[in-house]
Amino acid sequence: MKLQDSSLLREQAYVDGQWVGCPSLPVFDPATGSRIASVPSLQREDVKHAIRCAGAAFCSWSRLLAGERAGFLRLWIDLIRKNKEDLAFLITCEQGKPLSESRDEVDYGVSFLEFYAEEAKRLYGETIPPFRRSSRIVVTKEPLGVVAAITPWNFPMAMITRKIAPALAAGCTVVCKPAIETPLTALALVALAERAGIPPGVFNVVTGDAVQIGIELTANPLVKLIAFTGSTAVGKLLMNQSASSVKRLLLELGGNAPFIIFPDADIDSALSGVMFSKYRNMGQTCISSNRIYVHEDIYELFLERLSYEVSKLKVGSGGLEGVDQGPLISQSALIRLEQQIKSSVDQGAQIVKGGCRHSLGGTFFEPTVLRDVRDEMRIACEEIFGPVAPVLCFSDEADVIARANATRSGLAAYIYSCNLSRCWRMAEELEFGMVGINEGRLSTELAPFGGTKESGIGREGSRYGIEDYVNLKYMLFGGLSH
């Protein structure tokens, strides 16, 4: 691991200001399959201890002034920026994405810390006109308590800061469980948080078996919120497990994003949007365009141009210059992708470009374009999570709206058209939490990220993203004389 600061490579968990546990679970580089580090497999009692420590730290952390908590976040931001290259290198090593994308992820992760360092000072309450002359009504916002953050492997830094930043800003303390595939970025982040002076117990990172850790996080009454990004199936499991203690849930789950292109669209812009949305992070994003609907009038033209752009993508280890596509995260992800493609081809879809494992071996896969895809095919019904673009044909607006909405997911959708009336109409009728209109890049700390239907509960980012981390308290002052 060629880090400028080798102390950022941590192989222990972090609980109450202490580095704990014996490394036993290997972490692999998906580009080479080689072990790059190991982390501890903490037991349920260890996680329970971390929650108790977070609960104890909540008493003092929540009583700090908002500006004091913001000061700690700003010190942390400075250290992250100073160590940007090392953090980006860690992301690429354990997750596989190109180094340029890892650098972008560090910047994106920092943006949440910056935003909520300021938003901490804007958690306003209000007064409400009273119902009797001798009374006054006041509403305040108070931090929830201990938050459990369970984060995925596809964005090992940004999915952490998107949860940690509003939690700490609001006055909550955190126990974070990163994905077992990508724990090293989380441990480097908490090492920098420690250097920034964030007190012991405020931000804890536990590693180990997801099932055992999840059972404790959902069952423990000290945990007041489960903030999770991941699959819909796991989200439903966490909901069931949290029912016994009636926890608050913040869930960002799977997607099945339609990307709709009308004949009056700017084709160059639409191509750029598809390429970013579909092939960023090897298609391993929840808002990746999963079903590309192209109007019949431009179907053949768009397929030809898309195939040409895809043919230019360079596949290789994420640490090499000029690489556009790294490996998939695991063999199981690779096999699932192959099965989705085979199933669709068996039903009549045609491979225009790619469609096979890459000659580099391992978990590398050729960037792929499929044509003649139909809505009932597996690849159009399931979240793909790989560099495969299924292109479907449509004839009119009503038809494509109905087809786009015919999914249990409701995270993101995209529309490309120069007809402003159509764009407004479509955006209102699509049953998704986020809609990109002539834009394929949705993510920003300034806007609420989240979905409808089975794509989750709550929002992350923007001023709305801190609301799940606070309780409203209603205070009625009576007996006031005039």
Side-chain angles (χ1 to χ4, degrees):
M1 297 291 287
K2 300 175 182 178
L3 298 177
Q4 297 172 27
D5 182 351
S6 60
S7 67
L8 290 180
L9 178 59
R10 298 285 182 158
E11 295 187 277
Q12 289 181 293
Y14 185 78
V15 176
D16 199 29
Q18 302 293 318
W19 295 95
V20 300
C22 296
S24 60
L25 296 174
V27 181
F28 297 100
D29 180 346
T32 64
S34 61
R35 188 189 73 83
I36 52 178
S38 296
V39 296
S41 180
L42 297 187
Q43 301 305 303
R44 188 168 175 177
E45 280 301 315
D46 301 317
V47 179
K48 189 177 294 186
H49 172 65
I51 295 170
R52 284 196 299 266
C53 293
F58 173 73
C59 297
S60 56
W61 181 252
S62 61
R63 290 172 184 163
L64 291 178
L65 297 175
E68 292 174 324
R69 293 195 295 270
F72 283 110
L73 293 180
R74 281 192 289 270
L75 290 172
W76 192 16
I77 290 167
D78 291 341
L79 289 169
I80 291 172
R81 284 189 169 139
K82 181 180 178 182
N83 292 276
K84 176 179 176 178
E85 285 301 309
D86 278 349
L87 289 169
F89 186 70
L90 277 173
I91 292 170
T92 292
C93 283
E94 63 178 349
Q95 198 273 336
K97 69 181 65 176
L99 196 54
S100 60
E101 290 191 22
S102 295
R103 293 188 182 107
D104 289 343
E105 183 178 344
V106 175
D107 291 337
Y108 181 50
V110 165
S111 72
F112 289 101
L113 293 169
E114 284 186 314
F115 185 88
Y116 287 109
E118 291 302 311
E119 200 65 17
K121 296 177 284 187
R122 288 188 280 271
L123 272 173
Y124 303 138
E126 65 177 343
T127 59
I128 296 175
F131 57 92
R132 64 170 69 98
R133 296 185 186 280
S134 61
S135 300
R136 297 294 183 271
I137 297 173
V138 177
V139 177
T140 61
K141 295 179 179 179
E142 297 182 344
L144 276 182
V146 178
V147 170
I150 305 174
T151 59
W153 50 261
N154 57 342
F155 290 93
M157 176 173 170
M159 296 303 98
I160 290 177
T161 58
R162 201 160 78 178
K163 294 169 175 56
I164 302 299
L168 298 189
C172 300
T173 54
V174 177
V175 176
C176 177
K177 162 64 176 73
I180 198 57
E181 295 90 345
T182 57
L184 302 181
T185 304
L187 295 172
L189 278 175
V190 80
L192 293 174
E194 181 183 45
R195 291 184 199 176
I198 293 178
V202 171
F203 178 20
N204 309 273
V205 176
V206 295
T207 59
D209 179 69
V211 173
Q212 291 304 309
I213 292 176
I215 289 172
E216 183 57 40
L217 293 176
T218 52
N220 196 303
L222 283 177
V223 175
K224 304 303 180 185
L225 167 69
I226 302 290
F228 170 73
T229 296
S231 72
T232 299
V234 174
K236 291 178 178 179
L237 177 64
L238 293 173
M239 289 183 75
N240 287 332
Q241 291 177 348
S242 299
S244 63
S245 51
V246 196
K247 296 192 191 307
R248 190 175 297 184
L249 293 161
L250 175 56
L251 304 177
E252 195 269 282
L253 307 177
N256 187 7
F259 195 110
I260 304 167
I261 307 170
F262 285 89
D264 64 346
D266 181 326
I267 298 299
D268 290 335
S269 178
L271 271 171
S272 176
V274 167
M275 292 301 293
F276 179 83
S277 171
K278 177 71 263 181
Y279 295 102
R280 179 178 62 123
N281 198 18
M282 296 75 73
Q284 298 172 130
T285 77
C286 56
I287 57 173
S288 174
S289 48
N290 218 59
R291 299 169 289 157
I292 302 170
Y293 290 99
V294 182
H295 192 274
E296 59 188 6
D297 290 351
I298 57 169
Y299 188 78
E300 297 297 337
L301 170 64
F302 188 83
L303 267 172
E304 180 182 347
R305 295 198 56 185
L306 177 61
S307 300
Y308 175 71
E309 292 299 320
V310 169
S311 70
K312 296 190 294 184
L313 292 174
K314 181 179 178 181
V315 179
S317 175
L320 299 177
E321 288 299 323
V323 166
D324 303 299
Q325 298 280 283
L328 295 178
I329 189 65
S330 65
Q331 281 290 331
S332 60
L334 182 74
I335 292 169
R336 180 174 180 269
L337 191 64
E338 288 180 317
Q339 291 172 343
Q340 289 175 324
I341 293 172
K342 182 180 184 304
S343 172
S344 300
V345 170
D346 288 346
Q347 293 179 1
Q350 296 183 48
I351 297 172
V352 180
K353 183 68 62 178
C356 299
R357 298 190 184 201
H358 199 276
S359 58
L360 289 171
T363 60
F364 289 97
F365 197 86
E366 295 175 343
T368 298
V369 178
L370 299 179
R371 65 168 295 155
D372 301 333
V373 176
R374 299 191 306 275
D375 294 288
E376 67 271 18
M377 291 180 179
R378 179 179 172 184
I379 205 156
C381 297
E382 298 178 354
E383 189 170 26
I384 299 170
F385 245 61
V388 178
V391 185
L392 301 87
C393 187
F394 76 94
S395 57
D396 61 63
E397 184 179 317
D399 165 57
V400 78
I401 289 173
R403 292 165 65 188
N405 285 338
T407 173
R408 292 183 177 182
S409 300
L411 191 56
Y414 305 88
I415 308 162
Y416 273 73
S417 170
C418 290
N419 183 323
L420 184 59
S421 295
R422 172 187 286 142
C423 289
W424 270 109
R425 196 165 54 243
M426 293 276 296
E428 290 177 346
E429 293 188 33
L430 287 169
E431 298 167 353
F432 296 82
M434 301 176 286
V435 182
I437 302 161
N438 295 319
E439 179 57 68
R441 303 180 183 221
L442 279 173
S443 300
T444 171
E445 80 282 8
L446 304 174
F449 189 104
T452 61
K453 297 190 276 190
E454 292 189 12
S455 285
I457 300 170
R459 294 295 184 269
E460 294 184 314
S462 80
R463 66 183 180 87
Y464 302 102
I466 203 168
E467 295 297 328
D468 279 305
Y469 296 89
V470 296
N471 274 323
L472 291 180
K473 177 172 283 186
Y474 152 48
M475 295 182 286
L476 175 63
F477 289 82
L480 302 178
S481 58
H482 290 272

